[in-house]
Amino acid sequence: MTLAVRVIPCLDVDAGRVVKGVNFASLRDAGDPVELARRYNKAGADELTFLDVTASTADRATTFEVVSQTAEEVFIPLTVGGGVRTAEDVDRLLRSGADKASINTAAVARPEVIDEITRRFGSQVLVLSLDARRTTDPSIASGYEVTTHGGRTGTGKDAVEWCREAAERGVGEILLNSIDADGTQQGFDLEMIRDVRAVTRVPLIASGGAGAPEHFPPAIDAGADAVLAASIFHFGPVDMLARVKDALRGAGHPVR
């Protein structure tokens, strides 16, 4: 049986407001996270992802209060990331109403934290969030480098190999975000999706670059199990979620 494709709006939150930029820069205000969460829940989103985009850079914990308020408004799975460093952080997020936690910078710095979290809570609660950018560095075989701190810090780490390692360590899902495509609304990085799909069977969420409903089916064709976007939902027509699902359905992909 083929699982339904999940369509996931992403709330990038900075100082309690939803923001969106291009290539992780020039952020503009997109509204109140609780209001947007309520709207997307009503519009038929399958899940919501809430990322505190400056938590790692500013070295502060995720805004648990906003998470709590958001969780009270939505009745679909809620993934929360930004500033997640330890199993204790995951525990606090789950107690605040999150269903899953997303980890990025801390896992790159200390991969063992993946093992610690999944041993305690199970693979299903942990999403590896990976911000990758294209590189010509000959030491990075795949041509995609892992970055941290909201795309501001290069790591010299091969993104495809990191996906393989994280999957082996037990992450339940991988949120694959293309920095080069982010906010451009020119379409997902299909080559990167295919390359990651080739090394792991862990559910893959494609992110970065969606600008029209027709951009979504090719991401699923390339190997993604779910599609995540922000700009197209925040600034597009109110029925954009329905349009995206129609496009997926029309391309032969099952949706809820």
Side-chain angles (χ1 to χ4, degrees):
M1 179 179 140
T2 307
L3 292 176
V5 172
R6 290 169 290 146
V7 180
I8 309 170
C10 184
L11 308 179
D12 293 315
V13 179
D14 181 16
R17 298 289 293 179
V18 176
V19 295
K20 192 67 195 105
V22 177
N23 308 131
F24 284 33
S26 306
L27 300 180
R28 61 173 169 150
D29 188 275
D32 174 71
V34 180
E35 282 297 319
L36 282 172
R38 188 185 294 127
R39 185 175 108 194
Y40 293 139
N41 183 74
K42 188 177 177 183
D46 298 305
E47 296 186 13
L48 275 179
T49 292
F50 177 114
L51 299 176
D52 189 332
V53 293
T54 51
S56 293
T57 303
D59 195 30
R60 69 166 190 279
T62 304
T63 316
F64 293 100
E65 185 183 345
V66 181
V67 172
S68 232
Q69 292 170 355
T70 304
E72 286 173 10
E73 293 295 332
V74 302
F75 305 99
I76 51 178
L78 176 64
T79 299
V80 182
V84 174
R85 298 176 183 86
T86 64
E88 285 65 40
D89 291 336
V90 173
D91 184 56
R92 191 171 172 194
L93 279 177
L94 297 176
R95 290 174 187 276
S96 296
D99 298 283
K100 294 183 270 190
S102 166
I103 194 167
N104 181 347
T105 300
V108 173
R110 197 173 69 84
E112 297 77 20
V113 73
I114 294 173
D115 309 65
E116 293 161 11
I117 292 168
T118 56
R119 271 200 304 267
R120 181 165 165 187
F121 301 104
S123 291
Q124 76 283 353
V125 307
L126 190 62
V127 178
L128 178 77
S129 180
L130 191 155
D131 299 326
R133 67 182 174 206
R134 288 175 180 263
T135 178
T136 54
D137 185 335
S139 70
I140 299 176
S142 72
Y144 302 102
E145 181 185 19
V146 176
T147 70
T148 59
H149 298 84
R152 285 178 278 278
T153 307
T155 64
K157 201 176 181 81
D158 187 308
V160 174
E161 282 307 308
W162 176 224
C163 286
R164 187 206 302 269
E165 179 185 345
E168 288 172 353
R169 286 183 178 275
V171 294
E173 288 185 290
I174 294 171
L175 170 54
L176 183 65
N177 190 44
S178 166
I179 292 178
D180 303 298
D182 176 72
T184 63
Q185 301 191 47
Q186 298 299 303
F188 293 94
D189 189 328
L190 304 178
E191 186 181 7
M192 184 163 68
I193 295 167
R194 280 191 288 266
D195 289 350
V196 171
R197 174 47 74 218
V199 302
T200 178
R201 301 316 303 167
V202 166
L204 193 56
I205 305 166
S207 169
E214 57 267 25
H215 288 155
F216 290 81
I220 304 302
D221 294 333
D225 301 279
V227 280
L228 177 145
S231 299
I232 189 173
F233 296 133
H234 300 340
F235 306 119
V238 293
D239 66 342
M240 185 54 77
L241 259 161
R243 293 189 193 188
V244 167
K245 289 196 172 189
D246 284 345
L248 287 164
R249 198 178 288 112
H253 298 298
V255 293
R256 291 190 178 95

